[in-house]
C-alpha cells in the first residue's frame, strides 16, 4: 500500500516537472485561508436598534411613569396618540408630529377635589403650542374662543369673562389689540380701537345706566377728548338729573379736531 502511494506521488511530481520545467518541491506553498472576523456592534447599540418604535404600539411607559398609547415614527410620537402624565394626571389626546403636539387635539386636567377631568384646550396645535383655532378654559373660569399663534391669543377671538363681560375682536400677543367691542355685564359697552389690552384711539362708549354716548379719543383706557350726547336717556334706569345742553358752537368738529391735535 505504501509502495503504491509513493509511486503515485512520484508520477505527480514528474508531471509537474515536465509541464512547468520546475521541480514540484520548489513551488511555493499555498496561502492559508484566513476567515475574516465579523464586526459585531455593541450590545447596547443592538438593543437600541431593536427598540426603535414605528407604527402603532401598545402603551409605552417612560422612566417618570408617564404613559403613551398610539403611533410612532423613528422612535418619536408621530400620528395619533394619547399621553397621560403620572404626576398631574393630565391627558392629551390627539395628533403628534415628531414628539410634539401638532394638529388637532384636546388637553384635559384632573381636578383632585372631584377626581374628574375638565377640558382645558380643544383645537389645533403646532410644534407643541396652541396654534390656529381653539378654545381654552382658564382656571378662573374665563373662556376664550378664537385664533392662536405660538401659544398666545392672536388674530380674531372672543372671550367670556367670569364676571359676565364679553370681548370680541382682534388680539395680538395675548392682549386685545386692533378693533374690538366689549360688552360689560352692567349693560355698558365700548367699541373702537385697542392697543396692548387698553382702549387707545377712536372709540365709542355707551353708558346704559345713564343713557349717554361718548365718542372720541382714548389714551391708555382714559377718555381724552370727544363729545357726550344723550342716547336713550328716557329709558335709562339711572339718568343724570339734567339733560346735556345743546352745543352753541358754530363748528364743534373743528374745536374737537384742534383739541385732539394738542
Amino acid at each position: 500500500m505504501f509502495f503504491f502511494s509513493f509511486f503515485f506521488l512520484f508520477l505527480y511530481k514528474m508531471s509537474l516537472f515536465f509541464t512547468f520545467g520546475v521541480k514540484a518541491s520548489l513551488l511555493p506553498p499555498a496561502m492559508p485561508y484566513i476567515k475574516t472576523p465579523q464586526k459585531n456592534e455593541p450590545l447596547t447599540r443592538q438593543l437600541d436598534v431593536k427598540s426603535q418604535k414605528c407604527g402603532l404600539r401598545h402603551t409605552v411607559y417612560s422612566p417618570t411613569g408617564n404613559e403613551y398609547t398610539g403611533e410612532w415614527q423613528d422612535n418619536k410620537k408621530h400620528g395619533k396618540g394619547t399621553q397621560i402624565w403620572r404626576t398631574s394626571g393630565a391627558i392629551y389626546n390627539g395628533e403628534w408630529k415628531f414628539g410634539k403636539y401638532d394638529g388637532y387635539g384636546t388637553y384635559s386636567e384632573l381636578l383632585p377635589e372631584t377626581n374628574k377631568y375638565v377640558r382645558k384646550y380643544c383645537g389645533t396645535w403646532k410644534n407643541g403650542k396652541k396654534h390656529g383655532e381653539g378654545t381654552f378654559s382658564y382656571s378662573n373660569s374665563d373662556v376664550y374662543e378664537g385664533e392662536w399663534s405660538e401659544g398666545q391669543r392672536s388674530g380674531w377671538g372672543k372671550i367670556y369673562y367670569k364676571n359676565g363681560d364679553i370681548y370680541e375682536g382682534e388680539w395680538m400677543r395675548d392682549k386685545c389689540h386692533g378693533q374690538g367691542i366689549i360688552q360689560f355685564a352692567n349693560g355698558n359697552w365700548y367699541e373702537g380701537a385697542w392697543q396692548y389690552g387698553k382702549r387707545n384711539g377712536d372709540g365709542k362708549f355707551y353708558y346704559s345706566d345713564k343713557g349717554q354716548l361718548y365718542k372720541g379719543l382714548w389714551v391708555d383706557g382714559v377718555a381724552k377728548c370727544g363729545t357726550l350726547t344723550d342716547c336713550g336717556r328716557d329709558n335709562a334706569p339711572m339718568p343724570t338729573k339734567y339733560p346735556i345742553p345743546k352745543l352753541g358752537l358754530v363748528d364743534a368738529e373743528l374745536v374737537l379736531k384742534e383739541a385732539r391735535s394738542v
Side-chain angles (χ1 to χ4, degrees), residues 6-16:
F6 179 78
F7 178 73
F8 284 115
L9 178 61
F10 173 75
L11 292 177
Y12 172 71
K13 288 187 176 183
M14 290 299 295
S15 64
L16 290 177

Side-chain angles (χ1 to χ4, degrees), residues 146-190:
E147 297 177 299
W148 298 79
S149 179
E150 297 184 350
Q152 294 182 325
R153 294 168 292 188
S154 292
W156 190 269
K158 188 175 185 179
I159 186 168
Y160 301 85
Y161 294 100
K162 180 182 179 180
N163 61 4
D165 298 345
I166 301 175
Y167 169 84
E168 183 175 7
E170 295 178 289
W171 295 76
M172 187 175 74
R173 297 178 182 177
D174 247 5
K175 296 184 181 296
C176 307
H177 191 91
Q179 293 293 317
I181 180 172
I182 184 168
Q183 297 175 328
F184 297 96
N186 60 8
N188 297 346
W189 54 263
Y190 168 83

Side-chain angles (χ1 to χ4, degrees), residues 68-72 77-85 91-97 99-108 121-125:
Y68 174 79
T69 306
E71 296 176 294
W72 297 78
K77 304 177 186 76
H78 191 89
K80 293 183 178 180
T82 301
Q83 168 99 9
I84 303 177
W85 284 266
I91 294 179
Y92 171 80
N93 180 35
E95 296 177 293
W96 299 74
K97 189 174 182 179
K100 295 183 178 181
Y101 321 140
D102 204 294
Y104 185 85
T106 60
Y107 179 85
S108 303
Y121 178 77
C122 179
T124 55
W125 305 74

